[in-house]
Amino acid sequence: MFLTITTTGTPERPATDLGFLLHKHPDNAQAFSTSYGTAHVLYPEADAERCTAALLLEVDAVALVRRGKGKGRGGAPDAALAQYVNDRPYAASSLLAVALSGVFSSAMRGVCAAKPELPSQPRPLRVEVPALPARGGPGLVQRLFEPLGWTVTAEPVALDAEFPDWGDSRYVRLALESETLTLAEALRHLYVLLPVLDDAKHYWVSPDEVDKLLRAGEGWLPGHPEQKLITSRYLSRRWSLTRQAMERLELVRLAETDDTAVEEIDNAVEAEAEAEERPTPLAVRRRDAIVAALGESGAARVLDLGCGQGQLVQALLKDPRFTEIVGVDVSMRALTIASRRLKLDRMGERQASRVKLFQGSLAYTDTRLKGYDAAVLSEVVEHLDLPRLPALEYAVFGSARPRTVLVTTPNVEHNVRWETLPAGHVRHGDHRFEWTREEFRTWAGAVAERHGYDVEFTPVGPEDPEVGPPTQMAVFTLRTTDEKHPHEKRTNEKRTNEKEAKAA
Ligand code: SAH
């Protein structure tokens, strides 16, 4: 494993400042032992005009395997020999990243006691990695580094130089050049992106990796066009961690952008979706279907249960048929984003009186949920563990008991039509289950029966003749003549009587 960093300089700003920045003197070759082997730092060239630092990692493959053994997935038993005979010693980018952060930790944080003014100054930098494993090839390397201000050269390395017919290996020869970045920024880019390109961590990814990612990604990851891919790969595709990280990145982005900008981004996203003449995004279709069903039900006072980041609440606010809209979610983080999206703090009094957000769990009955015309559970039930579903059922249909309840959930049969979804996977890491049409109907039918509702089903999104629509929606309507619920019957009778009185 080998990486070099080169800078050029002038007599006033000598290139050898690199030694101060890295806290490693150019005249010495130094060795640092790490848990996986030895990291060497040496300077093949060092004068005022040009200075190159090389980081060479000598990996102890046996130590790597032994260490991995006791540690969760890191020690997953491969074929015995493959553990020893693999490319890790030569190309494990995650090892290189760990070495970078270990050997150059102050440089990465932008600290230089000897010359405190240096770290914040951008300088000409050239980084070379002769053999970088890159899943996604040179194209992805470009997409990752270019938005950060690097000029990228990524050449595929032939599998065997003597046999060009064999094609390319999964390695690229990488050179990055920039005049505008500081060394700390450069190191933080490498620390995150080398393992992302490798896409195979040598250790088990634990939850504190989210913090490490956000720290190293500060200032450049929020808003990076490949933010999602970077986050997901960095966290070894552990969906719950990825989601956590994405939420936190979203908060950072929101904190950095002012509210008009948030609106502009929202508009831009919708406009883009339209311009591309792609089919309307499923989330938009779902929202439209919900608004239409609510309209048909005649509801004016509406609960959005598990409102998430408030997109539906926002749509309902734009429609004067809805006089009171309440968003409820268990996640404070989601509610914070929702409240920023809605600009609750700056809303006119009249608008503000129509909307409320509060934190609550649907696994418990809650008197605040009583007395509304309709409740929406949009893509929420599948986020609860199955054994907790009866609690939600009781809280909504038994206790809150609005006249109309809309429930949407993925139709798992449709997943085979999702090109990017690996077979047998759910659509979202936090989905505890996904139902077939039959399963959803069975559940909804039983719920309706138990609580005195009628239920009808509506497809959402393009309906496939074989596997059905991507989303399924159930519309529950409280039975007006249900003997089991005399209280409801009375109120409904009262309503009818009032109507008749009016008509008379
Ligand atoms: N309704 C939104 C968000 C769906 S994501 C939409 O259609 O886009 C599911 C949401 O349900 C998340 O915001 C999650 O925080 C919330 N949630 C999950 N379990 C919950 C519970 N027990 N009580 C309240 N909200 C819950």
Side-chain angles (χ1 to χ4, degrees), residues 243 304 306-308 329-331 334 360-363 378-380 383-384:
R243 176 165 172 227
D304 182 7
C307 63
D329 205 285
V330 76
S331 154
S361 169
L362 300 167
S378 164
E379 308 297 284
V380 173
H383 288 265
L384 273 84

Side-chain angles (χ1 to χ4, degrees), residues 243 247 283 286-287 290 304-312 328-332 334-335 358-364 376-385 388 392 408 428 430-432:
R243 176 165 172 227
E247 280 185 5
R286 197 160 42 225
R287 234 176 296 149
I290 290 169
D304 182 7
L305 303 177
C307 63
Q309 305 186 356
Q311 291 93 334
L312 177 64
V328 181
D329 205 285
V330 76
S331 154
M332 224 24 236
L335 290 171
F358 64 76
Q359 190 183 24
S361 169
L362 300 167
Y364 302 94
V376 178
L377 287 157
S378 164
E379 308 297 284
V380 173
V381 291
E382 66 275 10
H383 288 265
L384 273 84
D385 290 322
R388 308 196 69 182
L392 172 138
T408 76
H428 191 295
D430 195 43
H431 287 181
R432 309 302 161 89

Side-chain angles (χ1 to χ4, degrees), residues 313 324-328 344 352-358 368 372:
V313 173
E324 195 179 332
I325 304 137
V326 176
V328 181
L344 276 190
S353 70
R354 289 175 62 208
V355 61
K356 212 164 29 184
L357 297 178
F358 64 76
R368 293 175 297 179
Y372 288 86

Side-chain angles (χ1 to χ4, degrees), residues 291-459:
V291 174
L294 284 174
E296 260 172 54
S297 79
R301 306 178 59 237
V302 178
L303 293 167
D304 182 7
L305 303 177
C307 63
Q309 305 186 356
Q311 291 93 334
L312 177 64
V313 173
Q314 187 174 38
L316 294 176
L317 261 175
K318 290 191 183 133
D319 191 326
R321 286 178 297 180
F322 307 110
T323 57
E324 195 179 332
I325 304 137
V326 176
V328 181
D329 205 285
V330 76
S331 154
M332 224 24 236
R333 206 176 285 154
L335 290 171
T336 307
I337 295 174
S339 129
R340 290 194 69 121
R341 174 187 299 280
L342 299 168
K343 305 197 190 88
L344 276 190
D345 52 340
R346 254 177 279 162
M347 205 176 252
E349 219 171 285
R350 250 186 83 192
Q351 256 329 51
S353 70
R354 289 175 62 208
V355 61
K356 212 164 29 184
L357 297 178
F358 64 76
Q359 190 183 24
S361 169
L362 300 167
Y364 302 94
T365 57
D366 188 335
T367 51
R368 293 175 297 179
L369 306 184
K370 289 192 187 214
Y372 288 86
D373 300 327
V376 178
L377 287 157
S378 164
E379 308 297 284
V380 173
V381 291
E382 66 275 10
H383 288 265
L384 273 84
D385 290 322
L386 271 173
R388 308 196 69 182
L389 216 47
L392 172 138
E393 175 191 330
Y394 183 73
V396 176
F397 295 88
S399 164
R401 250 183 124 57
R403 187 156 30 93
T404 304
V405 182
L406 306 181
V407 179
T408 76
T409 193
N411 163 22
V412 71
E413 295 165 80
H414 197 95
N415 288 4
V416 294
R417 295 284 183 271
W418 243 282
E419 276 168 26
T420 50
L421 199 66
H425 277 242
V426 293
R427 295 181 202 173
H428 191 295
D430 195 43
H431 287 181
R432 309 302 161 89
F433 59 86
E434 282 174 358
W435 275 328
T436 62
R437 283 167 292 175
E438 186 56 38
E439 286 165 330
F440 183 47
R441 277 163 190 265
T442 306
W443 174 79
V447 169
E449 216 27 65
R450 279 193 286 269
H451 299 280
Y453 283 77
D454 289 318
V455 61
E456 280 173 22
F457 299 90
T458 315

Side-chain angles (χ1 to χ4, degrees), residues 178-193:
S178 166
E179 304 272 334
T180 55
L181 294 167
T182 66
L183 181 68
E185 287 169 324
L187 291 173
R188 291 192 289 118
H189 296 165
L190 296 169
Y191 173 75
V192 173
L193 295 179

